[in-house]
Amino acid sequence: MYLRSLFIMLLLFTAIQATPHTLTVDALIKIALEHSPDIDISRFDFEGAQQRAKYTEGFYLPRLDAALNGGKQRAELKNHTTNYSDMLAGSLGVSQLLYDFGKTSGRISGAHAETLALQAQMQQVISDKILEVKQRYYDILKTKSIIEVERKNVKLQEEQLHRAQRYLASGIKTIIDVSDAKVRLEQARLDLENARYELEEQRARLEETLGYVPYNGNYILYSRKLSLPKVSKTLPRVKTSLYRLQSFAYDHRYVLQSSRHIVSGAKANVKAEKGDYAPTITLNGQYSRQHVDDTVLALSPEEQGQVTVTMNWNLFSGFQTDASVEEAKINVLKASSQVQSVKLAIKRQVLEAHISLRRNGNNVKLSEGIAHASHQKFIQAQKRYENDLSDYIELQDAQQGYIRSLSDLVNAYYDYFIALAQLDHAIGR
């Protein structure tokens, strides 16, 4: 009884393990965000910028240094004998920046702007990854639907072969119809196999995009069964105007936000470079204490300290400061031009995505009508062939036209969803 129960549990466990996991596009996006090395690389760049900003902020804090020395000391004075003594000395120094006329504050602002720019770049990489996952997802659904169309083609070709063989046996048709039907059946089977191989390749590309193989490859993608050719009514509609889409993109595209932060950082660097024209004022404190032999105690102080305010001012540096300031100003102009370039690119991307969406939406409707008409033509061609009113070539042309119209409809349908994903990406949604 125990062994029987154990065997049943083992069978249930095996069945559960063998059942493929169904993944939606949202689940795939979540996996990509967790495992994609592209996102990890951008995140590491951002985290490195955070540490550089933290390092720069340290210039505002006091600097504390300690030193300890021990050894032999040699002292030789005129008309005196040379003395050798043991020496142990320690010192403690502290310095605090008081003011440097914007040099440090400019560096800190520039470092923070770089951090924000890289953070926006990381978000843009995530947005790019989401688009890539969606494209891979819809490409796979497209190929799976194409496989169903190819299966339908194989079935029709098998039926046609049986019909031709039956007509040949009855003496109605010739052997050439049977031979041609066999050739077209093998071609249909070849097309089906190629579509299956294409599906395997697309799964590999999807897993590369994810940076991970979910459930060790034991998964399927969620998809609604297409009711060909009636699919146009299931398309989501976009009623937002092109102007509003472009305005939304200017406010939400991370690549534009990153470019603007780069401009801010470049302006802060100008301020930092101009700080070299002015002095740097620091507060310094030094305390030292040493232990020496009694023979040289009178010649060397045992304890001493000092507090000073220091002003360092470079009066001439061979025009290096002038060159650095001018270069920083040029970088501001370059960064500002980059912002304008990015805005133009965003405007073009939104326009192209909007056009592609409208074009594919119309293609779906037109392909749907073509598929319906091709199906009617195929039915009529079958009847004409059966009544010996047409030859085999007319029938095959009608049949292949019908299959081709279904394939075109599948391509247009999923291209519409890819265009919708591209529009979402273009506006930063």
Side-chain angles (χ1 to χ4, degrees):
M1 186 66 181
Y2 172 75
L3 292 176
R4 182 181 178 184
S5 300
L6 183 61
F7 179 71
I8 294 174
M9 292 178 62
L10 181 61
L11 287 178
L12 291 174
F13 177 77
T14 304
I16 293 174
Q17 289 294 104
T19 303
H21 299 266
T22 302
L23 296 177
T24 63
V25 64
D26 291 335
L28 292 174
I29 291 172
K30 182 178 179 181
I31 291 172
L33 296 183
E34 293 175 354
H35 297 281
S36 174
D38 298 339
I39 297 176
D40 290 339
I41 292 171
S42 64
R43 186 179 71 253
F44 293 145
D45 288 339
F46 166 60
E47 292 175 353
Q50 285 182 310
Q51 296 306 313
R52 288 193 293 274
K54 184 177 180 181
Y55 174 86
T56 308
E57 290 174 349
F59 289 117
Y60 269 147
L61 300 177
R63 184 178 181 88
L64 184 64
D65 298 293
L68 182 64
N69 301 309
K72 289 286 188 177
Q73 178 173 290
R74 178 179 179 274
E76 182 178 355
L77 300 176
K78 190 175 182 180
N79 299 328
H80 287 77
T81 60
T82 301
N83 293 317
Y84 293 90
S85 60
D86 296 327
M87 185 268 294
L88 179 64
S91 63
L92 186 66
V94 62
S95 62
Q96 172 64 58
L97 173 67
L98 296 180
Y99 195 65
D100 62 359
F101 297 88
K103 186 187 302 182
T104 299
S105 62
R107 290 175 179 172
I108 292 175
S109 297
H112 281 296
E114 181 195 15
T115 302
L116 294 175
L118 288 174
Q119 184 182 30
Q121 288 182 16
M122 179 184 68
Q123 295 297 331
Q124 186 60 52
V125 169
I126 291 174
S127 179
D128 295 343
K129 182 61 64 174
I130 291 174
L131 172 61
E132 188 177 0
V133 170
K134 288 181 178 180
Q135 288 175 326
R136 300 296 189 201
Y137 173 77
Y138 289 124
D139 281 341
I140 289 178
L141 297 191
K142 181 194 298 184
T143 302
K144 289 176 67 176
S145 297
I146 291 294
I147 288 175
E148 294 301 318
V149 173
E150 295 298 342
R151 284 175 178 166
K152 186 179 186 68
N153 188 27
V154 170
K155 184 178 178 181
L156 290 175
Q157 295 295 349
E158 288 174 343
E159 293 174 353
Q160 180 57 33
L161 175 59
H162 294 155
R163 185 184 298 112
Q165 289 173 337
R166 188 171 68 251
Y167 289 165
L168 177 63
S170 302
I172 301 175
K173 300 294 182 181
T174 63
I175 187 82
I176 189 63
D177 290 357
V178 175
S179 299
D180 190 76
K182 288 181 179 179
V183 172
R184 292 181 182 272
L185 175 58
E186 292 305 314
Q187 183 62 51
R189 288 172 176 169
L190 177 61
D191 293 340
L192 176 59
E193 284 302 306
N194 287 335
R196 286 170 174 166
Y197 286 127
E198 177 64 21
L199 179 61
E200 292 182 17
E201 293 177 355
Q202 288 178 347
R203 280 174 63 99
R205 289 192 285 268
L206 172 64
E207 290 163 2
E208 178 188 16
T209 300
L210 298 178
Y212 180 74
V213 181
Y215 304 106
N216 294 320
N218 186 28
Y219 67 91
I220 58 175
L221 301 186
Y222 170 79
S223 62
R224 296 179 180 177
K225 185 175 179 60
L226 288 184
S227 181
L228 296 175
K230 300 178 181 179
V231 295
S232 61
K233 293 183 179 180
T234 63
L235 296 179
R237 307 298 178 184
V238 176
K239 298 181 180 180
T240 308
S241 67
L242 178 61
Y243 174 78
R244 292 186 62 185
L245 290 173
Q246 290 175 340
S247 298
F248 187 91
Y250 292 148
D251 294 333
H252 294 86
R253 279 295 296 272
Y254 291 109
V255 64
L256 183 57
Q257 295 178 19
S258 176
S259 298
R260 288 168 175 164
H261 289 311
I262 291 175
V263 172
S264 299
K267 292 179 178 179
N269 288 336
V270 172
K271 179 181 178 182
E273 295 298 336
K274 285 183 176 180
D276 287 337
Y277 284 127
T280 299
I281 302 174
T282 57
L283 176 65
N284 302 291
Q286 184 77 25
Y287 172 77
S288 61
R289 183 179 178 85
Q290 62 179 349
H291 173 73
V292 296
D293 292 344
D294 294 338
T295 55
V296 295
L297 182 60
L299 303 176
S300 179
E302 182 177 9
E303 182 177 355
Q304 63 179 346
Q306 62 179 1
V307 177
T308 60
V309 175
T310 304
M311 183 182 72
N312 293 319
W313 196 346
N314 178 261
L315 299 179
F316 184 71
S317 61
F319 303 108
Q320 290 179 337
T321 301
D322 294 342
S324 297
V325 171
E326 290 304 314
E327 182 184 7
K329 290 180 179 179
I330 291 172
N331 287 335
V332 172
L333 298 176
K334 178 182 177 181
S336 299
S337 297
Q338 182 64 25
V339 169
Q340 297 303 317
S341 177
V342 170
K343 291 183 70 174
L344 291 173
I346 289 174
K347 182 178 180 180
R348 173 185 55 81
Q349 291 168 3
V350 174
L351 177 59
E352 290 178 347
H354 191 260
I355 293 173
S356 178
L357 186 69
R358 290 187 290 113
R359 179 177 62 244
N360 284 290
N362 290 331
N363 287 347
V364 170
K365 294 180 180 179
L366 294 174
S367 298
E368 187 178 75
I370 293 172
H372 179 74
S374 297
H375 184 238
Q376 296 299 318
K377 180 181 178 181
F378 173 54
I379 294 175
Q380 294 167 5
Q382 280 183 318
K383 293 179 179 179
R384 284 171 55 81
Y385 179 75
E386 292 170 356
N387 293 302
D388 204 20
L389 297 176
S390 65
D391 57 13
Y392 185 75
I393 296 177
E394 180 182 324
L395 174 62
Q396 283 297 328
D397 287 344
Q399 180 174 312
Q400 292 307 305
Y402 172 53
I403 294 299
R404 186 167 53 251
S405 68
L406 292 180
S407 297
D408 292 343
L409 177 57
V410 168
N411 286 323
Y413 180 78
Y414 285 108
D415 285 345
Y416 179 86
F417 283 94
I418 292 176
L420 184 61
Q422 290 172 338
L423 180 60
D424 286 340
H425 173 267
I427 66 175
R429 183 165 55 190

